[in-house]
Amino acid sequence: MNHEAITLLEAVNLALAHEMEQDENVVILGEDVGTNGGVFRATAGLKERFGNRRVMDTPLAEAMIGGLTVGMAAQGLKPIAEIQFMGFIFPALEHIICHAARMRNRTRGRLSCPLVIRAPFGGGIHAPEHHSESTETLLAHIPGLRVVVPSSPARAYGLLLSAIRNPDPVIFLEPKRIYRASKQPVLDNGAALPLDTCFTLREGSDITLVSWGAMIKETLEAAEQLAEDNISCEVIDVATISPLDMDTILASVAKTGRCVIVHEASRHLGVGAEIAATLVEKALMDLQAPPLRITGYDTVMPYFRLENHFMPNTADIKDAVRQTLEFV
Amino acid sequence: MNHEAITLLEAVNLALAHEMEQDENVVILGEDVGTNGGVFRATAGLKERFGNRRVMDTPLAEAMIGGLTVGMAAQGLKPIAEIQFMGFIFPALEHIICHAARMRNRTRGRLSCPLVIRAPFGGGIHAPEHHSESTETLLAHIPGLRVVVPSSPARAYGLLLSAIRNPDPVIFLEPKRIYRASKQPVLDNGAALPLDTCFTLREGSDITLVSWGAMIKETLEAAEQLAEDNISCEVIDVATISPLDMDTILASVAKTGRCVIVHEASRHLGVGAEIAATLVEKALMDLQAPPLRITGYDTVMPYFRLENHFMPNTADIKDAVRQTLEFV
Amino acid sequence: MDTVFEGEIRYRQYLSSQGDPLSALPVWAQQPEWLTHCYRNMVLARTMDNKAVALQRTGQLGTYASLLGIEGIDVPLGLLMHPEDVLIPYYRNHACQMLRGMPMEEILLYWGGDERGNAAEQQGEDFPNSVPIATQSMHACGVATALKIRNEKRVAVTLCGDGATSKGDFLEGLNVAGAWQLPVVFIVNNNQWAISVPRALQSGAPTLAQKAIGAGIRGEQVDGNDAIAMREAIEIALERAREGKGPSLIEAISYRLSDHTTADDATRYRSNDELKKAWEHEPVKRLRTFLHKQGWWDETQETIWQDEVNSMVQSAVERYLATPPQPVESLFDYLYAELPEQLREQREWAMVKAMKGGTHHES
Amino acid sequence: MDTVFEGEIRYRQYLSSQGDPLSALPVWAQQPEWLTHCYRNMVLARTMDNKAVALQRTGQLGTYASLLGIEGIDVPLGLLMHPEDVLIPYYRNHACQMLRGMPMEEILLYWGGDERGNAAEQQGEDFPNSVPIATQSMHACGVATALKIRNEKRVAVTLCGDGATSKGDFLEGLNVAGAWQLPVVFIVNNNQWAISVPRALQSGAPTLAQKAIGAGIRGEQVDGNDAIAMREAIEIALERAREGKGPSLIEAISYRLSDHTTADDATRYRSNDELKKAWEHEPVKRLRTFLHKQGWWDETQETIWQDEVNSMVQSAVERYLATPPQPVESLFDYLYAELPEQLREQREWAMVKAMKGGTHHES
Ligand SMILES: Cc1ncc(C[n+]2csc(CCOP(=O)(O)OP(=O)(O)O)c2C)c(N)n1
Ligand SMILES: Cc1ncc(C[n+]2csc(CCOP(=O)(O)OP(=O)(O)O)c2C)c(N)n1
Ligand SMILES: [Mg+2]
Ligand SMILES: [Mg+2]
């Protein structure tokens, strides 16, 4: 049993290894996941440990990765596919949307797709073009999928275990900016964390901050700094983007009356739109101010020299909080 | 000059022919668009009239259609690609998202992609699986694209002209349920209608109804029926889903204080979410009731025997209006 | 310049269009059993097909893809696959599905717009019809990967049309099948048309079988109207896959004798002459003529079988028509193994709305 | 069984790894002009490459894909394409881009994370680097379609790696190029590795050139470390395309002498021995040895040229480093021909935020 402090990336590796050890139906496939252990090393050591029948370096073709995964899952394997970067997931979407998300429904439960598709996503590491986008909306809009984003090593471990064990397809998006940003002790005891539910990371009474993935870092930072000015922020990590646990958010906003939503993805139809829309639908009377969205712009993610302009930062969040609190 | 009453489908055909006549750079490509004139007949007669160099039956591959279109557009042609049904657009998304939407930005204007991708979408015609979805969100979320949906023959004609003439990529989604539903006189005079702007189809003072595409039919019907009970509905046809003209909607809601948004697409992250979120952000104080969304469910579009359960209907809209009006 | 690779494609045919052997027949084809059995099922398939088209024309079925012209491929395949093999069909393989145990009424139910048509327990692990073109090719590779990982002596068999061979999924599938030596058989029903697009516009390659060469796998071209040739080709491919000797591609030359689907009107794009000629080569008559000439089948048998088949089809149609629709909750109840909390409210709404009765667009 | 198709792939090579002719050389290769010119540019490319890697290691450039090992392909290509042809590169063709007029500092600017690196007017209608693998193959077909529609005698040339040949885009591209007989040339830089995945795992096909057979187009394999063979192959392919005789696929056998990119560490997955062997076959030394043996190049020339090249690269680096960043508005100003009303507010925010200074994540 491991309970050293490890990174989010190591936690992913630990969860993969744990489930491969427990369940021989768990297999891994993707580009460079074998000998190389993944370009980020998320699958490091797994091929050596579990053999190349269970850790498969595929030819370079994402539609194929998606399609193979569907076929394998329908046969009762639990494939975990890695898409090297989320920016390369598009060729796989036909298989994810038309098949993975529908197999159970289409066959009234005769066949199903217990698969996981992992992909690193988000900006902030000065990577080349197409390596930094946050397009979770495209998957979160699709019925039949689950979309999960961890924001800490412990949640990466626990949520990935759940994702693998889940009998339905799960898209597991890994915020690569915090892959190695910090360490946390994680007990490798196979204890899963629940999907479909938010995590309240910090309690507060003045305002609710809602975020997920890498932006949790800045959101918590903002909360911390605002506390010095006696502004008490509740911080919620959505974790499962779809289906979205609005109950936790609604309960928090019922208490605070104010809300700021933070995400890296573009604003227009980012997941923040759904959160804000549901808030107003179900809790208009609780709202003492409009929920604000702090997000990426509705522009293409710029090449890295300007990427920090695109990304929301702690100051933006703090400004939004103050603006919300001043609303009358 | 034609000003007979024609269907939406005929209006599409008319606009295509008009622009092909005017501009020899306009070419058409897709599956079955040539000899067959398209499975819905949207391109009927065009191959005969303009030849098979300008109306191209492609091999069966949507990624290829997307990629060819990008290459042709970057060369200064104005390609209009037909995706036979929107349910088959997924393989083309990599080209649409990573290239069409970015070419101008990526090259700082050196190259561009003046292309149109047409696709019939939406339910209600008892079609086979994958022929009835409304996944406009997936495109509307992408910066650099325009997404346009006509709701009448005249708007189909005028908006399609604009889409073709537009120097940037436009996704033109055709609501097939109303392809032949009604006729309207359309003057074939090459007069375009503006993109990026809503159309107010009916003025009213009690509530604002916002919709687009085929659902405009039920929305107008609801408005009509509610008028009998002295409920005065303003009806807005969004027409360009992205970029979204919130100004028109905000101005209307400033007047009515209430809003119902109607769309066929699933609710979770449907375009209605963005509209509701922006309404509350910018006009919380104007809202006398929460904007309600009448939408498809967050389920897979069912096979056609049950499809009408999925689709919003006039009664649903009327119920939502009454509920909104009763809100205190 | 050295030659670093040589490849060829051969064409397999035994029976002329007139039902005469063109070369020595395989031993099994010198006996009546299998071939008459095959013929009977071809007639059954065609009868079912006629009925389905009629149901569509009278508004009792949705858009339907006719199997007319595929019988020479699908029926041998359905008879030759082992029960434990996995069929990953496209949308035109009803005959094969039926032979693998899927009740005819379930086939109709599918085309009648009801998901339960994919749920028949007799389908076992077979895949439902694939509507997005060629995606099934890749699923077959995934299934075959699972079979290979588990060291099972089972084969994944997938079909598609000539049009589908242009799509990346098919080509990526051939490639991974070759790279991984998967136990999979690809059968291309080259029926000359992809809706209105003729075979010649799909590819500059003179044969579609040579796409196998591009992927480094075995490929051959077969007369898909010749059930004897098809059995030979399929048996060899299945056996090789089962024995771990790798994948095969079979290009079966046939002709789409029907419109693309009932929503199509092929007279818009293809000539009556061409269609008439194609009927001269069609698989059912060809096999019947052969059987007649061998003295293995006669008019009396034909009449008796026709009657039998008609009543089989008729009772299937009755069972189909008597199937009540699914309740509205079914939209929700198979989406996930367990319905997430988040969807319960919508499920309630849907039930309330359904109870309130008539939706605006009447079914 | 009749043979209905036969195909073969031939291998083109003139120079041994030791720079000795293996067969009679083409006439043009019996003169020093072109080959010394080619050599000079190979040296320039390599010098630029070394510098780029050094810039990355010192934090002055982003992740960079080295061109080491592609010189024998890219330099002949850059010299042979006509200015009016269109290059649709992948991300490793800096040498070719430079020869087509793109200033070296613009190449650095691109890899330095600045969109203006794609904007050099000298690039004409050439495409920017394609990061999503193989998508450029299809763009090349689109460009070629435009050229064909307009009856222009221009050629679209596109490159990709061995890994890219597994992706649908490449395969769909070959297919449509064949079906439409497009004026396009596909060059595969088969450098044996796709990041960590060796060529053998990409495909069961013994050559990648035979993918052309699958698509019914012309294909050949060429020693990509042999500039003479590459010139021959490229000239023939360009000429054919220009004359309307259809597309070609050239599989150029090379070796990735560098890590995949500066973000990669190839020692994790490939042996030093293999790399050492590969250096024995590399293109630059091979051509230099040949030129030396012909008496067309000597050490003095080499030294002079090295100096010249170093200072060319150095001044390009200086221009690159002196390029100030784009203003924040540039995020908005090239998205559309005209910024939609709807985005003006965000553009304002972005400018205000930038003026407020330091973003949280420092550049
Ligand atoms: C990805 C995708 N694109 C388009 C379609 C629409 N479509 C349905 S069948 C068909 C033609 C298929 O032709 P072919 O593969 O030859 O099979 P056939 O129907 O002739 O048996 C097309 C274009 C689809 N179902 N899926
Ligand atoms: C669609 C897509 N998938 C994955 C990647 C990540 N990636 C970048 S380069 C590469 C390997 C490419 O290998 P190859 O085609 O042989 O070209 P090489 O780099 O060896 O020249 C991969 C997997 C990508 N850029 N695009
Ligand atoms: Mg066909
Ligand atoms: Mg390579």
Side-chain angles (χ1 to χ4, degrees):
Chain A
M1 288 250 185
N2 183 336
H3 52 287
E4 287 169 62
I6 58 173
T7 64
L8 196 157
L9 190 58
E10 288 162 342
V12 166
N13 186 270
L14 208 61
L16 294 172
H18 189 277
E19 286 308 282
M20 291 197 81
E21 189 67 63
Q22 295 298 306
D23 181 352
E24 66 171 13
N25 285 318
V26 177
V27 298
I28 288 178
L29 70 160
E31 295 158 9
D32 304 290
V33 297
T35 312
N36 197 30
V39 294
F40 284 104
R41 323 280 300 129
T43 56
L46 299 179
K47 181 185 149 198
E48 291 70 18
R49 188 160 155 203
F50 299 104
N52 61 10
R53 287 206 159 207
R54 293 184 62 199
V55 183
M56 291 165 267
D57 272 325
T58 63
L60 203 173
E62 282 77 11
M64 184 205 71
I65 293 173
L68 286 176
T69 307
V70 166
M72 290 159 80
Q75 268 293 309
L77 292 181
K78 301 193 136 216
I80 306 171
E82 177 176 301
I83 297 291
Q84 203 159 82
F85 288 86
M86 196 194 187
F88 307 132
I89 205 170
F90 306 117
L93 285 184
E94 182 168 49
H95 288 280
I96 296 172
I97 295 174
C98 298
H99 297 296
R102 296 181 177 215
M103 191 60 83
R104 180 186 296 281
N105 186 67
R106 168 180 294 152
T107 62
R108 308 279 91 172
R110 183 172 61 85
L111 300 177
S112 63
C113 277
L115 57 85
V116 176
I117 295 183
R118 299 178 38 245
F121 85 123
I125 64 159
H126 276 30
E129 217 188 340
H130 299 291
H131 290 67
S132 300
E133 284 77 359
S134 300
T135 45
E136 63 265 30
T137 281
L138 305 197
L139 296 151
H141 181 56
I142 303 301
L145 294 180
R146 275 190 170 77
V147 183
V148 177
V149 187
S151 67
S152 73
R155 280 187 296 281
Y157 179 81
L159 292 172
L160 183 50
L161 289 183
S162 281
I164 301 171
R165 293 174 192 167
N166 192 281
D168 291 306
V170 178
I171 312 295
F172 195 79
L173 301 176
E174 300 169 5
K176 66 173 110 61
R177 181 159 62 88
I178 57 168
Y179 255 164
R180 301 186 176 96
S182 67
K183 295 195 175 199
Q184 182 181 35
V186 176
L187 201 62
D188 185 18
N189 59 358
L193 285 170
L195 303 181
D196 304 355
T197 188
C198 297
F199 295 85
T200 302
L201 303 185
R202 181 184 175 113
E203 308 218 337
S205 50
D206 295 331
I207 188 165
T208 305
L209 307 186
V210 179
S211 190
W212 53 92
M215 288 311 304
I216 287 290
K217 187 162 165 283
E218 284 72 28
T219 306
L220 284 171
E221 254 168 42
E224 197 111 334
Q225 294 173 19
L226 289 161
E228 292 166 18
D229 296 344
N230 284 321
I231 297 172
S232 164
C233 301
E234 183 138 310
V235 176
I236 293 179
D237 176 4
V238 174
T240 302
I241 299 298
S242 175
L244 188 62
D245 166 22
M246 280 301 301
D247 287 349
T248 301
I249 300 171
L250 284 163
S252 175
V253 174
K255 182 173 72 174
T256 62
R258 303 177 196 260
C259 183
V260 167
I261 306 155
V262 184
H263 61 68
E264 251 182 71
S266 287
R267 178 185 195 77
H268 189 75
L269 284 165
V271 176
E274 180 63 37
I275 296 172
T278 307
L279 272 178
V280 64
E281 244 160 48
K282 304 221 165 170
L284 180 62
M285 302 316 284
D286 290 335
L287 287 172
Q288 291 162 40
L292 292 189
R293 291 180 280 164
I294 297 301
T295 69
Y297 301 120
D298 291 322
T299 68
V300 170
M301 181 71 169
Y303 287 14
F304 67 79
R305 205 169 176 191
L306 297 185
E307 74 172 321
N308 290 341
H309 287 294
F310 182 92
M311 315 260 296
N313 62 37
T314 307
D316 297 335
I317 301 169
K318 284 162 61 185
D319 286 354
V321 168
R322 292 188 199 282
Q323 193 185 326
T324 305
L325 290 171
E326 284 157 18
F327 183 89
V328 277
Chain B
M1 288 251 184
N2 183 336
H3 50 286
E4 288 170 63
I6 58 175
T7 63
L8 195 156
L9 190 59
E10 289 162 341
V12 166
N13 186 272
L14 208 60
L16 293 172
H18 189 276
E19 286 308 281
M20 291 197 81
E21 190 66 64
Q22 295 298 306
D23 182 350
E24 65 171 13
N25 285 318
V26 177
V27 299
I28 288 179
L29 70 161
E31 295 157 8
D32 304 289
V33 297
T35 312
N36 197 31
V39 294
F40 284 103
R41 322 279 301 128
T43 56
L46 299 179
K47 180 186 148 195
E48 291 70 17
R49 187 157 155 207
F50 300 102
N52 61 9
R53 286 205 160 207
R54 292 184 63 200
V55 183
M56 291 166 267
D57 273 324
T58 64
L60 202 172
E62 282 77 11
M64 184 205 70
I65 293 173
L68 286 175
T69 307
V70 166
M72 291 160 79
Q75 268 294 309
L77 293 180
K78 301 193 136 217
I80 306 172
E82 177 176 300
I83 297 291
Q84 203 159 81
F85 289 86
M86 195 193 186
F88 307 132
I89 205 171
F90 306 117
L93 285 185
E94 182 169 49
H95 287 279
I96 296 172
I97 296 174
C98 298
H99 297 295
R102 295 181 177 216
M103 191 61 83
R104 180 186 296 280
N105 186 67
R106 168 179 295 152
T107 62
R108 310 277 91 174
R110 184 172 60 84
L111 300 176
S112 62
C113 277
L115 57 85
V116 176
I117 296 184
R118 299 178 38 244
F121 84 122
I125 65 160
H126 276 31
E129 217 189 341
H130 300 289
H131 289 67
S132 300
E133 284 78 358
S134 300
T135 45
E136 62 266 28
T137 282
L138 306 197
L139 296 151
H141 181 56
I142 302 301
L145 295 181
R146 275 190 171 77
V147 183
V148 178
V149 186
S151 67
S152 74
R155 278 187 297 281
Y157 179 81
L159 292 171
L160 183 51
L161 289 183
S162 281
I164 301 171
R165 293 172 193 169
N166 191 281
D168 292 306
V170 179
I171 312 295
F172 195 80
L173 300 175
E174 299 169 5
K176 67 174 110 59
R177 180 158 65 86
I178 58 169
Y179 256 162
R180 302 186 175 95
S182 67
K183 293 192 176 202
Q184 182 181 36
V186 175
L187 202 61
D188 185 17
N189 59 358
L193 285 170
L195 303 180
D196 305 355
T197 188
C198 297
F199 295 86
T200 301
L201 303 185
R202 180 184 175 112
E203 307 217 339
S205 51
D206 295 332
I207 187 164
T208 305
L209 307 186
V210 179
S211 189
W212 53 91
M215 289 310 305
I216 287 289
K217 186 161 167 282
E218 285 71 28
T219 306
L220 284 170
E221 253 168 44
E224 197 110 334
Q225 293 173 21
L226 289 161
E228 293 167 18
D229 296 344
N230 284 322
I231 298 170
S232 164
C233 301
E234 184 136 310
V235 176
I236 294 178
D237 176 4
V238 175
T240 301
I241 299 299
S242 175
L244 187 63
D245 166 22
M246 279 301 301
D247 288 350
T248 302
I249 299 171
L250 284 163
S252 175
V253 173
K255 180 173 73 173
T256 62
R258 301 175 197 262
C259 182
V260 168
I261 306 154
V262 184
H263 61 69
E264 250 181 73
S266 287
R267 177 184 194 78
H268 189 75
L269 285 165
V271 176
E274 181 63 38
I275 297 172
T278 307
L279 271 179
V280 63
E281 245 159 46
K282 305 222 164 169
L284 181 63
M285 303 316 284
D286 289 336
L287 287 172
Q288 291 162 42
L292 292 189
R293 291 180 281 164
I294 297 300
T295 70
Y297 302 120
D298 291 320
T299 68
V300 170
M301 181 71 171
Y303 286 14
F304 67 79
R305 204 168 177 190
L306 297 185
E307 75 172 321
N308 289 343
H309 286 293
F310 182 92
M311 314 257 299
N313 62 37
T314 308
D316 297 335
I317 302 169
K318 285 162 59 185
D319 286 355
V321 168
R322 291 188 200 281
Q323 194 185 326
T324 305
L325 291 170
E326 282 158 20
F327 183 90
V328 278
Chain C
M1 282 169 66
D2 293 346
T3 297
V4 286
F5 174 80
E6 281 180 303
E8 60 167 21
I9 295 298
R10 306 230 261 159
Y11 181 70
R12 193 186 292 274
Q13 183 188 6
Y14 286 100
L15 292 184
S16 75
S17 300
Q18 291 71 42
D20 298 316
L22 296 168
S23 61
L25 295 183
V27 180
W28 61 263
Q30 296 166 21
Q31 312 290 327
E33 289 73 18
W34 193 87
L35 284 168
T36 49
H37 184 52
C38 179
Y39 175 71
R40 283 170 187 267
N41 280 296
M42 286 164 99
V43 173
L44 172 59
R46 195 164 273 191
T47 308
M48 170 174 77
D49 188 68
N50 281 331
K51 189 69 198 180
V53 172
L55 287 171
Q56 192 281 333
R57 300 286 184 229
T58 53
Q60 296 167 285
L61 202 71
T63 298
Y64 169 75
S66 166
L67 60 79
L68 221 58
I70 208 179
E71 302 89 341
I73 299 162
D74 254 36
V75 173
L77 178 64
L79 296 175
L80 292 165
M81 280 177 71
H82 294 192
E84 70 273 17
D85 292 339
V86 184
L87 176 70
I88 301 100
Y90 79 125
Y91 47 76
R92 217 181 275 288
N93 302 122
H94 340 312
C96 187
Q97 289 173 323
M98 187 181 65
L99 286 168
R100 286 182 58 70
M102 185 168 171
M104 229 182 290
E105 58 267 32
E106 306 284 340
I107 294 171
L108 294 171
L109 204 54
Y110 172 84
W111 295 98
D114 190 316
E115 291 83 355
R116 287 171 300 179
N118 294 322
E121 94 190 70
Q122 295 92 330
Q123 284 190 274
E125 297 175 7
D126 284 1
F127 268 51
N129 296 344
S130 176
V131 172
I133 296 290
T135 50
Q136 73 278 9
S137 310
M138 216 83 92
H139 303 160
C141 293
V143 168
T145 303
L147 303 180
K148 181 166 178 149
I149 287 176
R150 296 190 302 233
N151 266 315
E152 295 174 343
K153 290 212 162 191
R154 300 162 63 195
V155 183
V157 180
T158 186
L159 299 100
C160 69
D162 45 311
T165 67
S166 298
K167 190 159 176 266
D169 293 65
F170 176 75
L171 299 162
E172 292 181 359
L174 290 186
N175 185 61
V176 70
W180 290 0
Q181 288 295 295
L182 296 175
V184 59
V185 176
F186 301 91
I187 301 179
V188 174
N189 170 33
N190 176 358
N191 63 10
Q192 312 308 324
W193 292 91
I195 309 186
S196 72
V197 180
R199 159 63 184 85
L201 292 188
Q202 286 297 336
S203 179
T207 72
L208 297 177
Q210 77 200 69
K211 295 188 181 234
I213 295 179
I217 72 174
R218 228 186 123 249
E220 62 168 300
Q221 212 181 44
V222 183
D223 185 338
N225 291 324
D226 174 355
I228 298 180
M230 281 307 301
R231 168 162 166 178
E232 282 288 293
I234 291 167
E235 267 189 330
I236 294 169
L238 285 176
E239 170 74 6
R240 287 181 59 93
R242 205 180 304 288
E243 296 306 321
K245 294 187 184 137
S248 301
L249 167 61
I250 297 170
E251 177 191 3
I253 308 286
S254 70
Y255 193 89
R256 198 192 76 211
L257 296 166
S258 60
D259 290 340
H260 170 68
T261 63
T262 51
D264 175 50
D265 172 8
T267 61
R268 285 210 299 252
Y269 53 79
R270 74 179 182 188
S271 76
N272 257 327
D273 269 10
E274 180 182 310
L275 181 60
K276 237 172 86 186
K277 277 223 189 73
W279 275 104
E280 293 170 17
H281 306 288
E282 67 102 346
V284 183
K285 199 181 84 197
R286 187 183 306 192
L287 186 54
R288 184 173 58 239
T289 315
F290 171 75
L291 295 179
H292 271 288
K293 288 181 183 173
Q294 302 294 309
W296 296 344
W297 191 257
D298 62 26
E299 284 308 326
T300 325
Q301 281 167 301
E302 181 79 19
T303 316
I304 295 171
W305 181 242
Q306 274 292 1
D307 285 352
E308 204 164 317
V309 145
N310 284 336
S311 75
M312 281 162 72
V313 169
Q314 194 48 45
S315 40
V317 168
E318 279 155 24
R319 285 189 298 270
Y320 158 62
L321 292 174
T323 312
Q326 301 174 93
V328 67
E329 314 86 90
S330 73
L331 268 72
F332 294 85
D333 291 348
Y334 303 93
L335 266 183
Y336 299 91
E338 201 179 329
L339 192 71
E341 234 356 84
Q342 287 86 336
L343 282 164
R344 291 192 196 286
E345 188 183 21
Q346 287 191 18
R347 186 172 179 275
E348 293 299 315
W349 293 345
M351 289 172 71
V352 169
K353 173 172 162 181
M355 269 186 342
K356 279 200 264 174
T359 53
H360 175 74
H361 325 284
E362 292 304 324
S363 293
Chain D
M1 284 168 67
D2 293 344
T3 297
V4 287
F5 174 80
E6 280 180 304
E8 59 167 22
I9 295 299
R10 305 231 262 160
Y11 182 69
R12 191 185 292 273
Q13 183 187 6
Y14 286 100
L15 291 185
S16 75
S17 301
Q18 290 70 43
D20 298 317
L22 296 167
S23 61
L25 296 184
V27 179
W28 61 263
Q30 297 166 21
Q31 311 291 327
E33 288 73 19
W34 193 86
L35 283 168
T36 50
H37 184 51
C38 180
Y39 175 71
R40 283 170 187 270
N41 280 296
M42 286 164 99
V43 172
L44 172 59
R46 195 164 275 191
T47 308
M48 169 175 78
D49 189 67
N50 281 330
K51 189 69 198 180
V53 173
L55 287 170
Q56 191 281 332
R57 299 286 183 230
T58 53
Q60 295 167 287
L61 202 72
T63 298
Y64 169 74
S66 166
L67 60 77
L68 221 58
I70 208 178
E71 302 88 342
I73 300 163
D74 253 36
V75 173
L77 177 65
L79 295 175
L80 293 165
M81 282 178 70
H82 294 191
E84 70 273 17
D85 293 339
V86 184
L87 175 69
I88 301 99
Y90 79 125
Y91 47 76
R92 216 181 274 288
N93 301 123
H94 338 313
C96 187
Q97 288 173 323
M98 187 180 64
L99 285 168
R100 288 182 56 72
M102 184 168 172
M104 229 182 289
E105 57 267 32
E106 306 284 339
I107 294 172
L108 294 171
L109 205 54
Y110 172 85
W111 294 99
D114 191 317
E115 291 83 355
R116 287 171 299 179
N118 295 321
E121 96 191 66
Q122 295 92 332
Q123 283 190 273
E125 298 176 7
D126 285 1
F127 269 51
N129 296 344
S130 176
V131 172
I133 298 288
T135 50
Q136 73 277 10
S137 310
M138 216 85 92
H139 303 160
C141 292
V143 168
T145 303
L147 302 180
K148 182 167 179 149
I149 288 176
R150 297 190 302 234
N151 266 317
E152 295 173 343
K153 289 213 162 190
R154 299 163 64 196
V155 183
V157 180
T158 186
L159 298 101
C160 68
D162 45 310
T165 66
S166 297
K167 190 159 176 265
D169 293 64
F170 176 76
L171 299 161
E172 293 182 0
L174 290 186
N175 186 61
V176 71
W180 289 1
Q181 288 295 295
L182 295 175
V184 58
V185 177
F186 300 92
I187 301 179
V188 174
N189 170 33
N190 176 359
N191 63 8
Q192 313 307 324
W193 292 90
I195 310 186
S196 73
V197 180
R199 158 64 184 85
L201 292 189
Q202 285 298 336
S203 179
T207 72
L208 297 177
Q210 76 201 68
K211 295 188 181 233
I213 295 180
I217 72 173
R218 224 187 126 250
E220 62 168 301
Q221 212 181 43
V222 183
D223 185 338
N225 291 323
D226 175 355
I228 299 180
M230 281 306 303
R231 168 164 166 178
E232 281 289 293
I234 291 167
E235 267 189 332
I236 295 170
L238 284 176
E239 170 74 8
R240 287 182 59 94
R242 205 179 305 286
E243 296 307 320
K245 295 190 183 134
S248 301
L249 167 61
I250 297 171
E251 178 192 3
I253 307 288
S254 70
Y255 192 88
R256 198 192 76 212
L257 295 166
S258 61
D259 290 339
H260 170 67
T261 64
T262 52
D264 176 48
D265 172 8
T267 61
R268 285 210 298 252
Y269 53 79
R270 75 180 180 188
S271 75
N272 257 327
D273 269 11
E274 181 182 310
L275 181 61
K276 237 171 87 187
K277 276 222 192 72
W279 274 102
E280 293 169 15
H281 306 287
E282 66 102 348
V284 184
K285 199 181 84 198
R286 186 182 306 193
L287 186 54
R288 184 173 58 235
T289 316
F290 171 75
L291 296 178
H292 271 287
K293 288 180 183 175
Q294 302 294 309
W296 296 344
W297 189 256
D298 60 27
E299 284 307 325
T300 325
Q301 280 169 300
E302 180 79 19
T303 314
I304 295 171
W305 181 241
Q306 274 290 0
D307 285 352
E308 204 164 317
V309 146
N310 283 336
S311 76
M312 282 163 70
V313 170
Q314 192 49 43
S315 41
V317 168
E318 278 156 24
R319 286 190 298 271
Y320 158 63
L321 292 174
T323 313
Q326 300 174 94
V328 68
E329 314 85 90
S330 72
L331 267 72
F332 295 85
D333 291 347
Y334 302 94
L335 266 183
Y336 300 91
E338 201 181 329
L339 192 70
E341 231 1 82
Q342 287 85 338
L343 281 164
R344 290 192 197 284
E345 189 182 21
Q346 287 190 19
R347 186 173 180 276
E348 293 300 315
W349 294 345
M351 289 171 71
V352 169
K353 173 171 160 181
M355 268 185 343
K356 278 200 265 173
T359 53
H360 176 72
H361 325 282
E362 292 305 324
S363 292

